Amino acid sequence: MAEHTRSSIVIDATPAEVMAVIADFAAYPEWTGEVKEIDVLETGPDGRAAKVRLLLDAGAIRDEHTLAYTWDGDREVGWTLVSSQMLRALDGSYALAAADKGTEVTYQLAVDVKIPMLGMIKRKAEKVIIDRALAGLKKRVEG
């Protein structure tokens, strides 16, 4: 990833429990505010999603995009953009590491939109996306 934004949070659960929630795409509309629809288009040999179509509705921004996923057990999942109406790139990852009180989850994200946008505004948008995603993930896993 070129320029990216990164943030971390500690979740009171094992890496396997956290990754199980991340891998459960069908439940995303229940705990992520922006994801309205999800379809797993392909699965990998490990049974986890390899290609996923997401319909996002974040108020002013509505987009459908397809992401390709790669999994490293319960340690990391990464994704890259396959297609989108509004995005040129969307590369991200969740990295999980055992911590004293659960699992430290680090979310890294790089977004490039098709419309011109200042880098500073893109980084701020990435930060909002990451913070919401980590808070939602923590609430879902611990709830």
Side-chain angles (χ1 to χ4, degrees):
M1 279 181 241
E3 283 190 59
H4 62 268
T5 303
R6 175 193 314 232
S7 191
S8 297
I9 195 169
V10 175
I11 298 177
D12 186 16
T14 65
E17 291 167 329
V18 175
M19 194 60 85
V21 170
I22 293 170
D24 184 10
F25 288 101
Y28 275 37
E30 298 170 18
W31 65 271
T32 64
E34 295 83 20
V35 177
K36 301 304 178 194
E37 238 179 72
I38 228 164
D39 292 312
V40 174
L41 304 175
E42 293 176 19
T43 55
D46 60 359
R48 287 181 167 163
K51 194 181 283 187
V52 178
R53 183 192 68 82
L54 302 98
L55 176 63
L56 304 175
D57 189 348
I61 299 174
R62 185 175 168 88
D63 191 23
E64 179 178 318
H65 53 255
T66 302
L67 302 174
Y69 285 83
T70 56
W71 303 84
D72 182 9
D74 292 329
R75 291 172 295 283
E76 186 169 6
V77 57
W79 56 90
T80 57
L81 185 68
V82 174
S83 65
S84 171
Q85 298 166 350
M86 298 181 70
L87 303 176
R88 196 179 347 260
L90 177 65
D91 298 319
S93 67
Y94 282 112
L96 282 57
D100 289 341
K101 302 225 182 226
T103 300
E104 181 178 28
V105 180
T106 301
Y107 186 165
Q108 183 169 291
L109 185 66
V111 178
D112 191 15
V113 291
K114 291 180 179 176
I115 58 169
M117 185 181 286
L118 292 173
M120 179 180 74
I121 295 172
K122 274 197 273 193
R123 300 291 88 76
K124 185 167 175 56
E126 289 169 356
K127 179 79 171 128
V128 168
I129 292 167
I130 288 170
D131 289 348
R132 275 195 198 149
L134 287 173
L137 179 62
K138 181 177 176 72
K139 185 176 178 183
R140 180 72 176 193
V141 173
E142 293 180 354

